């Protein structure tokens, strides 16, 4: 459950609330945030929220945490956060973890004493913080894979074992789509790529447009460059192609898990997830 503010069509403006709804509607799957952005919240409140979630759904909650702030100045102002707050991510993360292990000067029931797995969503400096605190790292797949691999290598080299883990753990977040043909799969990711371009050139996120409407646009040189960059970080293909692409990615990164997602209309998304599940040898048995 991601945290996005002022983004049309995204229900994840309150990830812990959404996680509670999903956990209540399922029985066995793990439910997590991807993630709560600590610069936007007080660590005590975040600890209390996850403490309640863990108490309600024991052993099924994952606490994904990020260091991003609001995308625009208006959003940051409304949240009472600014870009400098991202630099205090390590400090806030340490405080948050202290509420769970009971070392904070203030008790935070029901979080105190509970074990909720924490994951850091980050690249660069955030990856170094995850390594220093001995936490799993969730890293986005980048079009510049050499830069991504350098960050992963640094995380593993600097990892400090502790109460939250005895070895580095990497989850790789990949924008991936599968369809009956490579062409169909590629179309599924066009709306999200264009939304990225729109946000970077206009400062706000638009509702997702149908692929054919995006294809009909006459893009400026800058828009085309940004669109190509957005597309470069996406993986798509038929089932055979995606088996090979994801296999190569796992081999290059030695990732422990893949977090696969993309944003588009529900029919195409559901079909893609079913195909991805089949590639992974999974079958649907209910939540």
């Amino acid at each position: 459950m991601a945290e996005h503010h002022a983004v049309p069509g995204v229900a994840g403006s309150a990830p812990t609330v959404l996680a509670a709804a999903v956990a209540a509607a399922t029985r066995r799957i793990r439910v997590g945030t991807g993630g709560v952005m600590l610069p936007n919240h007080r660590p005590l409140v975040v600890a209390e929220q996850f403490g309640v979630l863990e108490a309600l759904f024991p052993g099924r909650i994952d606490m994904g945490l990020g260091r991003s702030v609001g995308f625009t100045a208006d959003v940051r102002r409304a949240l009472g956060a600014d870009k400098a707050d991202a630099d205090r991510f390590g400090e806030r993360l340490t405080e948050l973890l202290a509420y769970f292990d009971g070392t904070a000067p203030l008790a935070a029931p029901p979080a105190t004493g509970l074990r909720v797995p924490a994951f850091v969503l980050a690249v660069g400096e955030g990856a170094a913080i995850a390594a220093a605190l001995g936490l799993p790292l969730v890293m986005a797949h980048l079009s510049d894979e050499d830069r991504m691999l350098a960050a992963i290598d640094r995380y593993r080299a600097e990892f400090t074992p502790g109460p939250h883990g005895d070895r580095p753990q990497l989850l790789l977040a990949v924008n991936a789509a599968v369809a009956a043909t490579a062409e169909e799969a590629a179309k599924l990711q066009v709306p999200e790529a264009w939304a990225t371009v729109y946000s970077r050139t206009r400062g706000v996120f638009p509702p997702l447009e149908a692929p054919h409407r995006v294809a009909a646009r006459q893009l400026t040189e800058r828009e085309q460059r940004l669109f190509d960059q957005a597309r470069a970080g996406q993986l798509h293909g038929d089932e055979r192609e995606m088996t090979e692409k994801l296999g190569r990615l796992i081999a290059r990164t030695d990732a422990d898990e893949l977090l696969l997602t993309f944003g588009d209309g529900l029919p195409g998304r559901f079909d893609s997830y079913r195909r991805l599940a089949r590639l992974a040898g999974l079958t649907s048995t209910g939540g």
Side-chain angles (χ1 to χ4, degrees):
M1 309 303 147
E3 178 180 335
H4 295 290
H5 302 281
V7 179
V10 174
S13 55
T16 53
V17 176
L18 192 55
V22 173
T26 55
R27 293 173 288 124
R28 293 179 293 119
I29 63 172
R30 300 191 66 84
V31 181
T33 55
V36 169
M37 298 298 131
L38 268 186
N40 301 334
H41 310 281
R42 297 305 308 170
L44 172 62
V45 174
V46 176
E48 291 172 336
Q49 290 174 346
F50 278 99
V52 170
L53 283 171
E54 178 64 20
L56 289 172
F57 310 103
R60 294 180 54 207
I61 302 300
D62 290 328
M63 183 169 59
L65 306 160
R67 65 189 293 269
S68 296
V69 294
F71 179 69
T72 66
D74 287 342
V75 171
R76 293 191 292 272
R77 190 178 305 111
L79 291 169
D82 57 48
K83 292 184 178 181
D85 288 322
D87 297 330
R88 294 188 283 274
F89 175 68
E91 175 186 332
R92 291 195 174 194
L93 181 55
T94 300
E95 179 185 345
L96 172 61
L97 297 175
Y99 289 121
F100 284 94
D101 63 27
T103 59
L106 176 70
T112 306
L114 295 181
R115 181 66 183 269
V116 182
F119 299 79
V120 175
L121 285 64
V123 294
E125 183 178 345
I129 292 171
L133 295 177
L135 293 172
L137 174 68
V138 183
M139 175 172 287
H141 170 249
L142 303 177
S143 57
D144 184 350
E145 288 196 356
D146 290 337
R147 175 178 165 230
M148 176 186 70
L149 291 171
I152 292 172
D153 288 344
R154 179 186 176 193
Y155 163 70
R156 287 177 170 144
E158 297 179 359
F159 184 86
T160 303
H164 303 286
D166 57 3
R167 67 174 184 84
Q169 184 178 355
L170 173 67
L171 284 72
L172 196 63
V174 185
N175 191 309
V178 188
T181 67
E183 293 75 16
E184 291 177 47
K187 287 181 181 179
L188 292 174
Q189 294 168 312
V190 166
E192 191 172 7
W194 169 246
T196 299
V197 174
Y198 191 100
S199 69
R200 291 183 177 177
T201 55
R202 296 161 176 82
V204 295
F205 280 93
L208 294 180
E209 292 188 26
H212 72 275
R213 290 178 60 89
V214 177
R217 287 181 171 273
Q218 295 296 316
L219 304 187
T220 67
E221 182 178 340
R222 183 184 179 213
E223 287 174 339
Q224 187 65 57
R225 184 176 69 256
L226 291 172
F227 185 79
D228 292 342
Q229 290 175 358
R231 295 290 276 161
Q234 299 173 334
L235 296 183
H236 49 257
D238 60 26
E239 293 185 34
R240 179 189 60 80
E241 290 172 322
M242 286 301 285
T243 298
E244 295 174 356
K245 289 180 180 181
L246 293 175
R248 287 196 299 268
L249 187 60
I250 292 172
R252 287 199 75 190
T253 62
D254 196 23
D256 296 278
E257 294 183 32
L258 295 182
L259 192 162
L260 304 176
T261 185
F262 76 96
D264 186 53
L266 292 181
R269 191 187 312 170
F270 286 163
D271 179 63
S272 179
Y273 284 151
R274 291 188 188 101
R275 293 174 185 274
L276 284 165
R278 189 157 56 235
L279 297 184
L282 302 175
T283 56
S284 176
T285 58

